[in-house]
Amino acid sequence: MRIVLLGAPGSGKGTQAKKLMADKNIPQVSTGDMLREAVATGTRFGLKAKSIMEAGNLVPDDVVLGIISERLGQPDAQEGFILDGFPRTTQQALDLEELLDEMGTPLDTAVLMDVDFDILMKRLTGRRTCSLTGKLLNVYFSSQAELDECTDAGGELVQREDDNEETIGNRLSVYRENTEPLIEFYKKREKLTTIDAEGAIDEVYTRLRESLQ
Ligand code: AMP
């Protein structure tokens, strides 16, 4: 199963991709995670990407394509993958199409995760990661017990560098301008499925599973 998860920042692509990965035993391929890793290891390329990401802008298409083509060539991606945060531009979608054509493994579906703007803002500004467990939490939507479980164990609720209000505003407009056109792109190819991605994580996951049948 080869899937693209499409949706605005905060639509829950990462969360749902992780659930699907565990369920279907195919890897989640997140360009955002891979770029953050490059930034954390402090490579020359990582340093360049850091300022772009902190501003909420897009890393150049050729850089992202390089990362993706290497990743999709790895053994664990041969039975399928869930692309999370890629493609983000029409050029990236075309590059992906060409890459998958060359590999002889076309994409099955692009799932658009549809979320209202106000909820996106709360999801993004409230998003935290537990420094101990890596668990994704949200100060608006997680229960107090879940938040306490992290802090009582000595963990911290860490906010992503690019989850501040200014960067979030830019990320959302970058999404509208560059990534939203991909909805039409995949519609034209008859690969688009849209799901309502509001509500509890498990409810959304049920809808995602149903959309993939
Ligand atoms: P994400 O974790 O998917 O929200 O990505 C975090 C940041 O990484 C984005 O705001 C971009 O700066 C960069 N990034 C991730 N994926 C891509 C991509 N496909 N193309 C360009 N930049 C990307």
Side-chain angles (χ1 to χ4, degrees):
M1 184 182 268
R2 288 172 293 276
I3 309 165
V4 164
L5 288 185
L6 206 59
S11 57
K13 301 186 297 293
T15 302
Q16 297 297 330
K18 284 192 180 71
K19 286 181 82 71
L20 201 55
M21 167 169 78
D23 213 1
K24 297 269 179 193
N25 208 19
I26 48 174
Q28 168 200 18
V29 175
S30 156
T31 39
D33 284 350
M34 290 189 280
L35 287 165
R36 275 185 289 278
E37 226 171 270
V39 169
T41 48
T43 57
R44 207 158 53 103
F45 153 72
L47 287 178
K48 245 170 69 185
K50 188 175 192 299
S51 55
I52 298 177
M53 291 170 74
E54 275 173 4
N57 292 322
L58 295 181
V59 172
D61 288 337
D62 57 337
V63 171
V64 184
L65 177 66
I67 296 177
I68 276 287
S69 48
E70 194 190 314
R71 182 66 187 90
L72 297 189
Q74 284 172 16
D76 67 331
Q78 301 319 302
E79 296 306 315
F81 47 77
I82 308 146
L83 289 177
D84 157 15
F86 177 91
R88 259 177 157 96
T89 64
T90 303
Q91 186 57 52
Q92 289 180 13
L94 290 167
D95 289 341
L96 175 66
E97 203 165 50
E98 196 179 316
L99 181 68
L100 295 180
D101 271 355
E102 278 165 18
M103 294 166 73
T105 52
L107 191 73
D108 294 308
T109 313
V111 182
L112 172 64
M113 302 191 39
D114 194 25
V115 178
D116 187 72
F117 181 80
D118 291 348
I119 294 183
L120 285 179
M121 283 306 274
K122 273 194 162 172
R123 283 193 182 169
L124 290 166
T125 53
R127 179 158 69 181
R128 302 287 186 277
T129 306
C130 177
S131 62
L132 278 184
T133 59
K135 189 172 175 184
L136 277 178
L137 297 160
N138 189 294
V139 295
Y140 299 114
F141 301 120
S142 302
S143 68
Q144 195 56 46
E146 278 180 304
L147 298 170
D148 290 347
E149 192 183 315
C150 175
T151 48
D152 289 352
E156 278 179 54
L157 299 173
V158 183
Q159 189 168 26
R160 248 171 67 167
E161 296 264 4
D162 57 356
D163 274 348
N164 59 75
E165 296 219 4
E166 195 185 323
T167 304
I168 288 170
N170 189 42
R171 283 161 67 206
L172 290 173
S173 51
V174 165
Y175 171 77
R176 286 221 181 91
E177 198 171 314
N178 298 279
T179 313
E180 249 176 21
L182 296 185
I183 298 173
E184 274 309 307
F185 180 97
Y186 286 115
K187 227 185 237 171
K188 274 196 192 130
R189 283 156 174 78
E190 299 184 347
K191 298 221 180 218
L192 189 80
T193 312
T194 302
I195 62 162
D196 171 6
E198 291 182 11
I201 292 173
D202 287 341
E203 280 167 24
V204 176
Y205 187 61
T206 303
R207 289 180 212 132
L208 175 62
R209 283 293 308 265
E210 281 168 7
S211 78
L212 295 174
Q213 277 169 10

